[in-house]
Amino acid sequence: MLKNFLYRLYERQLLNDVRRQPIPRHVGLIQDGNRRYARAAGLSEPREGYLLASVKTEEVLTWCAALGIPIVTLWWLSTENLTREPDEVATILQVIEQKMAEWMQGGLVQQLRIRVRPIGKLELLPASTLQILREIDSTTQHHDRMLVNVGVGYGGRQEIVDAVRRYLQERLMQRDSPEEILRELTPEALDKFLYTFDCPDPDLIIRTSGEVRLSGFMLWQSAYSEFYFCDAYWPAFRKIDFLRAIRSYQRRERRFGR
């Protein structure tokens, strides 16, 4: 009882501290540690760990909404993850499909007025997954409280390759000369071809599970992002962990290379 009381007291203090300072406009989340959490918790099926992870995602999005964070980018499945054992990939995709259906049927996206936008190499996904991702993208386009980019089949290197490819395709269709194409190939020129072309770069990127690396997440956009690495596995990520990450961001002096 005392421990719970002290926890709630500390959480309230953190929340008050965070609300006094500027809130990040865009938060990226590397939701890592789901399989390790399932093993540590003695769960018999990996699916149980992924379901718990999806519930945690809903919880964290409500925290973001409460703070007024307008853009969140999630990473649910990387291009590398697609090479795992077929049964495991199928399990992850089934959980994604189930959760997207729940969100559309009067669930989270309706309650929080969230626009969900899938990003990644979506054509690599099975037809059933692609269909429901396109459906939630279409049905939530009018929501304006929060934009949530959902990385499925996402890889930062692939995103850059795709951006360069689309830039070249557009310039070649305009019949521009090779000299013009190369001369005008700048970071600003490529920005509009990224998956997150209409978003500010993430102010803060949070990774769970104790791993201290990006693993290819938003490689282009994260040049001046602040990073926060948390030891907790994603399903065990607590509100105080989230608030500590926001507070850590607020205490840093951002120079943007200057």
Side-chain angles (χ1 to χ4, degrees):
M1 292 291 292
L2 178 59
K3 182 178 180 181
N4 290 339
F5 171 75
L6 292 175
Y7 177 91
R8 290 194 299 271
L9 188 65
Y10 179 51
E11 180 186 303
R12 191 177 305 121
Q13 179 184 333
L14 277 173
L15 184 58
N16 289 335
D17 290 345
V18 162
R19 282 178 169 162
R20 294 190 188 102
Q21 302 295 328
I23 299 296
R25 297 172 303 163
H26 184 177
V27 173
L29 294 169
I30 304 176
Q31 303 150 276
D32 195 23
N34 302 318
R35 291 187 298 175
R36 281 170 285 168
Y37 177 85
R39 288 194 294 267
L43 301 178
S44 57
E45 296 290 336
R47 177 181 174 83
E48 297 178 60
Y50 293 120
L51 284 171
L52 288 173
S54 69
V55 171
K56 178 58 63 175
T57 297
E58 294 180 334
E59 191 176 8
V60 173
L61 288 177
T62 63
W63 302 340
C64 292
L67 287 180
I69 296 170
I71 304 172
V72 178
T73 297
L74 308 173
W75 198 10
W76 282 357
L77 188 71
S78 71
T79 48
E80 290 77 17
N81 292 156
L82 290 170
T83 64
R84 290 180 179 177
E85 291 296 323
D87 287 347
E88 183 179 357
V89 175
T91 296
I92 297 172
L93 293 173
Q94 287 168 8
V95 171
I96 290 173
E97 291 178 23
Q98 175 185 330
K99 190 54 60 177
M100 294 295 93
E102 289 176 5
W103 283 10
M104 285 188 289
Q105 295 164 4
L108 186 77
V109 295
Q110 304 298 334
Q111 297 166 16
L112 299 181
R113 305 292 296 170
I114 292 173
R115 179 189 171 192
V116 178
R117 179 172 61 184
I119 60 172
K121 201 73 172 172
L122 302 179
E123 62 269 26
L124 299 178
L125 303 175
S128 59
T129 307
L130 184 57
Q131 178 180 345
I132 199 163
L133 289 173
R134 285 176 171 168
E135 185 177 351
I136 197 169
D137 184 9
S138 174
T139 58
T140 64
Q141 282 191 2
H142 63 289
H143 292 175
D144 56 6
R145 185 177 180 187
M146 182 192 302
L147 169 62
V148 176
N149 299 305
V150 177
V152 185
Y154 172 86
R157 288 180 175 177
Q158 186 63 55
E159 179 178 21
I160 295 170
V161 169
D162 286 347
V164 173
R165 181 180 292 117
R166 284 195 288 267
Y167 167 80
L168 293 175
Q169 287 173 340
E170 180 179 280
R171 299 304 301 269
L172 289 171
M173 287 181 64
Q174 295 171 359
R175 300 185 181 277
D176 294 328
S177 69
E179 292 76 17
E180 289 176 310
I181 293 172
L182 291 175
R183 183 174 61 251
E184 297 174 17
L185 177 57
T186 63
E188 293 75 23
L190 286 185
D191 273 342
K192 70 175 185 176
F193 296 101
L194 297 172
Y195 301 150
T196 57
F197 64 94
D198 56 351
C199 300
D201 291 342
D203 299 302
L204 171 66
I205 293 176
I206 302 170
R207 179 169 188 157
T208 58
S209 86
E211 302 293 347
V212 186
R213 60 177 181 270
L214 287 180
S215 299
F217 182 68
M218 304 193 85
L219 292 177
W220 182 280
Q221 301 93 325
S222 64
Y224 293 107
S225 301
E226 303 296 332
F227 303 106
Y228 187 88
F229 299 99
C230 176
D231 288 336
Y233 297 137
W234 176 251
F237 188 62
R238 304 167 299 173
K239 190 172 184 179
I240 62 171
D241 298 319
F242 172 72
L243 292 173
R244 283 170 174 166
I246 301 296
R247 185 181 63 177
S248 173
Y249 159 80
Q250 291 172 333
R251 289 178 172 178
R252 299 179 193 180
E253 181 182 359
R254 306 190 72 199
R255 297 175 181 268
F256 299 96
R258 295 189 290 270

